[in-house]
Amino acid sequence: MPKMKTKSGAAKRFKKTANGFKHKQSFTSHIMTKKSPKRKRQLRGTKQVASSDQPMVRRMLRKVK
């Protein structure tokens, strides 16, 4: 059997942490003028992947166990 390949798009979007996976927050790339300062501030930084989505992310990143 050949080795399982990592989904390259997922490898660019998710990083493994001690408690699961982290990802960049969405809705931050354009049309920022209509978003309130509070909303823009809360979209900054990285977030944890939801526990219900972790099995899917783990499957996409098979090499990263």
Side-chain angles (χ1 to χ4, degrees):
M1 274 310 272
K3 288 182 182 177
M4 292 295 294
K5 285 190 175 178
T6 299
K7 298 263 189 264
S8 61
K12 295 169 192 173
R13 287 172 172 81
F14 303 107
K15 294 287 178 260
K16 184 89 170 80
T17 65
N19 301 324
F21 298 93
K22 64 180 180 177
H23 68 94
K24 186 178 181 292
Q25 184 68 30
S26 56
F27 303 108
T28 61
S29 52
H30 62 102
I31 316 175
M32 299 297 282
T33 53
K34 65 173 75 169
K35 295 179 179 129
S36 68
K38 178 182 178 181
R39 186 171 166 195
K40 288 191 272 192
R41 189 169 58 247
Q42 289 176 342
L43 289 171
R44 245 183 257 152
T46 57
K47 307 285 187 218
Q48 286 284 100
V49 172
S51 58
S52 58
D53 293 328
Q54 284 197 12
M56 180 178 57
V57 173
R58 194 172 286 115
R59 202 162 37 246
M60 290 190 285
L61 303 173
R62 277 216 204 247
K63 289 183 186 175
V64 184
K65 284 283 175 163

